[in-house]
Amino acid sequence: MEEQPKYGIFRIEKIKLCDGGEIMGRLKHAFREFKNDSFDPELTKMNKSFILGSAKEVMKAYKDRINEITTDKYKPPKNAVGIYECMFTSTAGAIPKERENEFFELTYEQLCKTFGKENVLAGTVHVDETTVHTHWFVLPIFNTTSMLRRTRKEKEKGIFRTISQLQLNASHWTGSPALLSKLQDIMWEGVFKHFGLERGEVELTGDRTKKKKNKRSDLKKRDEALSEKEKELDQEQERQKQMALELSKTEEKQKENEAALKNERQALSEEKADFEKHVTTAAQEAVNMYDSLKRSNEFENADFPSLPAPDSNENSLLYHFRIKPVFDAVVSKAKQFFSQIKLLKKSHKEEIEKLSNEHERNLQVAKQNAEIEKQSAVAAAVKKKADEMTSAINLLKQDIQKEQKEKEKWHTMLFKKFTCLVNGKPVEVNHGLTDAYLKTNQQLSEWEGKSGDELIDLGNNYKKLNVKCWRDYIRAKFRNKENNYDMAR
């Protein structure tokens, strides 16, 4: 089943300056200063407040802030938006309980960045409803340039006068659907994005109406991209394995080819030596054959006078017939010799062409083997580089995990329960240091505001109720109220 998306929700309500009763009602709701059976009173005790602790205090701070920006030249109009009520929440269960304090702190920081720290009056956290959420009360005050009212003479002369000062200017943040959408983006970037929550995006159409359009979250897109990358990485690893297998087969084949080439070179060198020996022998045989032909019996037994020179009384015709058989025998032997030389030359040329072609084939095979060796070397270098990158990434992950553990350790001490050693014994602290500081600071602020007479009355009440601390006093006082209420009924 596909997991349902989880959204971060930011709502803003505008309350006009003239509607003081509405403001007070909202404040009493936020601080639970009224009776309502829909809230669990036990859980209501766990609600928290920030900066100010009651509706009257917030109302006083609100009026003081309005008086600060009121001058002779600027008086806030009654129909202006006087205060925002901002609510931050999420889909039920989307924010872990251990990160709720972080969520509240981020909302306060982002409101201070957006509206100014001096304009954020107070906030409350409600844990007594279905989903934990927080309410903040913010004044929309902005340094605005406005035009002063003109006299008749100024209108005739076309004179305009302007003033720049702090004014109530809600239109700066919520004056249009586009500005509201931008404000939603700011709150999502500053708060909800840190918890992996989606933003219900708003598409503004041409007629300025709002049309909700839920899109797939960045987290889901990132997960899909990571899964695609993992698939590609698996395919790449499979391809590298296949390449390594083919490379090993190629190396074995290359070794066999090298051995065969070595044997062929050895045979070729032997054939070359035999050929050179054969050429030398054939040349010597040709020379010997020529010498033997010169000393052949055919010349010696030929039918012609032994003296080649003509006789003194012999005419040329007689000499021609006497010497012609000798020349015919010489020509016949010469033709036979030259035909044998021609055949020998042809056989030698064919042998040379055969050896040349074989050498060319061996050269091509050597080039192919060299290219395969080059590819294998490149693949080995790429694999080595990939292993180095993987090692660096693993070291970086270890550093990140170490930093995360250190951060979780300090987060536990500040915001969660933790155990420490006191006199050699482990003692469990019920609250984080931050909660303990806020609680103690709140108690101190309550005591600092009391006069001497009030402290004396409080001491007498301690004795009257037989209690020893403020917590027991509050519980006894609450029980007395419940008993009085039951007796009245």
Side-chain angles (χ1 to χ4, degrees):
M1 183 181 293
E2 185 178 358
E3 185 179 357
Q4 294 297 325
K6 297 180 179 180
Y7 294 98
I9 301 168
F10 169 71
R11 293 182 182 144
I12 186 167
E13 293 288 340
K14 298 182 283 186
I15 308 172
K16 291 189 176 182
L17 184 65
C18 61
D19 200 353
E22 175 69 14
I23 297 175
M24 197 62 184
R26 300 265 184 164
L27 290 172
K28 286 186 176 181
H29 170 81
F31 288 95
R32 295 292 189 259
E33 297 179 358
F34 66 98
K35 292 184 179 181
N36 194 324
D37 296 335
S38 62
F39 305 135
D40 187 348
E42 295 298 326
L43 294 177
T44 302
K45 296 177 183 179
M46 300 173 64
N47 290 349
K48 298 179 182 179
S49 59
F50 301 101
I51 305 176
L52 299 175
S54 67
K56 288 184 178 180
E57 292 177 356
V58 178
M59 197 66 180
K60 183 179 182 303
Y62 165 65
K63 292 179 179 179
D64 292 342
R65 182 60 176 158
I66 295 297
N67 292 331
E68 286 178 8
I69 65 173
T70 302
T71 61
D72 296 337
K73 296 182 179 180
Y74 172 75
K75 185 177 181 181
K78 295 296 183 182
N79 62 344
V81 176
I83 196 167
Y84 285 144
E85 183 184 12
C86 303
M87 188 189 76
F88 292 84
T89 184
S90 66
T91 305
I95 298 176
K97 191 169 183 62
E98 61 271 11
R99 297 189 66 186
E100 287 179 355
N101 289 329
E102 181 185 356
F103 174 68
F104 304 145
E105 291 175 1
L106 284 177
T107 59
Y108 175 68
E109 292 175 2
Q110 187 57 47
L111 288 174
C112 290
K113 289 179 183 178
T114 307
F115 298 99
K117 186 176 181 181
E118 64 279 2
N119 296 323
V120 181
L121 297 183
T124 60
V125 174
H126 292 168
V127 299
D128 54 358
E129 296 183 44
T130 305
T131 305
V132 177
H133 59 277
T134 177
H135 293 263
W136 290 92
F137 295 92
V138 182
L139 278 76
I141 295 176
F142 184 70
N143 192 0
T144 309
T145 300
S146 59
M147 190 167 56
L148 295 174
R149 183 175 295 177
R150 297 183 295 170
T151 62
R152 183 179 297 176
K153 290 183 179 180
E154 289 174 342
K155 290 180 180 179
E156 291 175 355
K157 294 180 180 180
I159 297 174
F160 295 89
R161 291 181 300 136
T162 59
I163 183 174
S164 295
Q165 69 173 34
L166 295 176
Q167 301 179 19
L168 288 174
N169 188 3
S171 60
H172 178 74
W173 291 282
T174 57
S176 68
L179 290 175
L180 278 169
S181 179
K182 182 180 178 181
L183 185 61
Q184 290 280 357
D185 291 336
I186 292 172
M187 296 306 168
W188 179 78
E189 286 284 345
V191 180
F192 300 116
K193 186 178 180 181
H194 297 279
F195 299 90
L197 300 177
E198 297 187 24
R199 181 198 186 285
E201 297 189 8
V202 176
E203 181 181 3
L204 299 177
T205 59
D207 58 353
R208 296 173 62 86
T209 58
K210 295 185 291 183
K211 179 182 177 182
K212 289 192 176 179
K213 182 180 177 183
N214 292 329
K215 295 183 179 179
R216 189 181 302 170
S217 65
D218 293 341
L219 184 62
K220 192 170 183 180
K221 290 181 181 179
R222 186 165 64 250
D223 291 339
E224 290 181 354
L226 288 174
S227 62
E228 289 294 332
K229 288 183 180 180
E230 288 176 356
K231 289 181 182 178
E232 293 177 0
L233 184 61
D234 293 338
Q235 293 176 358
E236 182 66 22
Q237 290 177 352
E238 187 65 26
R239 191 176 67 82
Q240 289 182 357
K241 288 181 181 178
Q242 191 68 22
M243 186 183 296
L245 184 59
E246 293 178 357
L247 187 61
S248 62
K249 292 181 180 179
T250 305
E251 289 177 353
E252 293 177 358
K253 189 175 181 181
Q254 183 179 359
K255 289 179 181 179
E256 294 176 358
N257 292 337
E258 287 177 355
L261 182 61
K262 187 176 181 181
N263 295 332
E264 289 178 0
R265 286 178 180 174
Q266 184 68 25
L268 183 63
S269 61
E270 293 176 357
E271 290 179 1
K272 185 177 179 182
D274 293 340
F275 175 72
E276 291 176 354
K277 185 177 180 182
H278 178 67
V279 169
T280 304
T281 305
Q284 188 63 38
E285 287 178 355
V287 173
N288 294 335
M289 186 181 294
Y290 177 73
D291 293 339
S292 65
L293 286 173
K294 289 197 299 182
R295 295 189 296 272
S296 175
N297 293 331
E298 294 182 6
F299 288 97
E300 294 176 358
N301 298 329
D303 189 12
F304 62 91
S306 58
L307 295 175
D311 293 337
S312 59
N313 58 354
E314 187 177 20
N315 59 22
S316 58
L317 185 61
L318 291 175
Y319 180 75
H320 171 73
F321 285 110
R322 183 169 60 84
I323 204 69
K324 187 176 182 300
V326 177
F327 281 105
D328 290 340
V330 171
V331 170
S332 176
K333 293 295 182 180
K335 286 182 178 180
Q336 184 180 3
F337 173 73
F338 284 119
S339 64
Q340 291 177 352
I341 291 296
K342 187 176 180 180
L343 291 173
L344 184 63
K345 184 177 179 181
K346 183 178 179 181
S347 64
H348 287 175
K349 184 178 179 180
E350 291 176 353
E351 189 70 22
I352 289 171
E353 288 179 354
K354 179 181 177 182
L355 292 174
S356 177
N357 293 333
E358 190 172 358
H359 176 69
E360 186 68 24
R361 288 194 301 271
N362 293 334
L363 184 62
Q364 292 294 333
V365 172
K367 286 182 178 180
Q368 292 176 359
N369 294 333
E371 184 66 24
I372 292 172
E373 291 177 357
K374 179 182 176 181
Q375 292 179 359
S376 63
V378 169
V382 169
K383 184 179 180 183
K384 182 179 179 182
K385 191 67 177 178
D387 293 340
E388 292 176 356
M389 291 180 66
T390 303
S391 177
I393 290 171
N394 291 333
L395 291 175
L396 183 59
K397 286 181 177 179
Q398 292 176 2
D399 294 340
I400 291 173
Q401 291 176 357
K402 188 182 293 182
E403 291 292 335
Q404 187 68 25
K405 288 181 179 178
E406 187 67 20
K407 181 179 179 182
E408 289 177 356
K409 172 186 173 184
W410 283 103
H411 185 272
T412 300
M413 292 183 65
L414 289 174
F415 303 108
K416 298 181 181 179
K417 296 181 180 180
F418 66 95
T419 304
C420 62
L421 293 177
V422 177
N423 296 327
K425 295 181 179 180
V427 177
E428 185 182 58
V429 180
N430 293 330
H431 298 280
L433 297 179
T434 303
D435 290 342
Y437 170 76
L438 291 175
K439 185 175 180 181
T440 305
N441 190 35
Q442 184 177 0
Q443 292 176 356
L444 287 175
S445 64
E446 291 176 355
W447 285 91
E448 288 174 355
K450 295 183 181 299
S451 63
D453 294 335
E454 288 176 339
L455 291 174
I456 292 171
D457 292 338
L458 185 61
N460 293 329
N461 290 332
Y462 272 26
K463 292 180 180 180
K464 184 178 179 179
L465 296 175
N466 194 19
V467 296
K468 295 182 179 181
C469 63
W470 174 259
R471 184 182 301 168
D472 295 339
Y473 172 70
I474 293 298
R475 290 177 181 173
K477 188 176 179 181
F478 183 73
R479 283 196 299 269
N480 289 338
K481 285 184 179 180
E482 287 184 347
N483 294 332
N484 294 333
Y485 178 74
D486 292 338
M487 291 175 67
R489 276 201 312 183

